[in-house]
Amino acid sequence: MRKDYDFSGAKRGPVVKSPGKKRITIMLDDDVIEAFRKKAEAKGTGYQTAINQALRDALFAEAPLTADTLRTILRQELHEV
């Protein structure tokens, strides 16, 4: 049966693309990821969605997003867990 398949033109990656999204690599602390996983599980969503929403909220907040502001937001998110 293996001879029936031709993968010479195949490409790696998701079968269905996610429009409006881009895959990146980012290094986050273990405790941050775990906190977002717990928060997301409680809400019934994915942790990447929770991180994306936290970044979106910070980005579109009236105050400019600075390193101090981001730290404050992350501390608040971690404190809620």
Side-chain angles (χ1 to χ4, degrees):
M1 185 181 292
R2 209 160 229 232
K3 295 176 184 178
D4 296 339
Y5 300 111
D6 179 17
F7 292 106
S8 61
K11 294 180 183 177
R12 288 185 169 253
V15 176
V16 178
K17 294 187 182 232
S18 299
K21 300 212 180 241
K22 183 172 191 103
R23 182 177 303 273
I24 64 165
T25 300
I26 183 170
M27 301 294 284
L28 299 174
D29 294 332
D30 291 338
D31 59 332
V32 172
I33 294 172
E34 188 59 34
F36 273 102
R37 282 188 173 150
K38 287 180 182 177
K39 183 177 179 178
E41 185 177 323
K43 289 184 175 181
T45 63
Y47 77 97
Q48 291 177 340
T49 301
I51 293 171
N52 192 52
Q53 187 59 50
L55 291 173
R56 184 180 305 281
D57 291 346
L59 184 63
F60 293 112
E62 291 185 22
L65 181 61
T66 62
D68 289 334
T69 304
L70 184 57
R71 283 187 193 100
T72 301
I73 292 167
L74 290 173
R75 285 185 185 118
Q76 290 171 350
E77 294 292 327
L78 291 173
H79 186 266
E80 290 178 10
V81 174

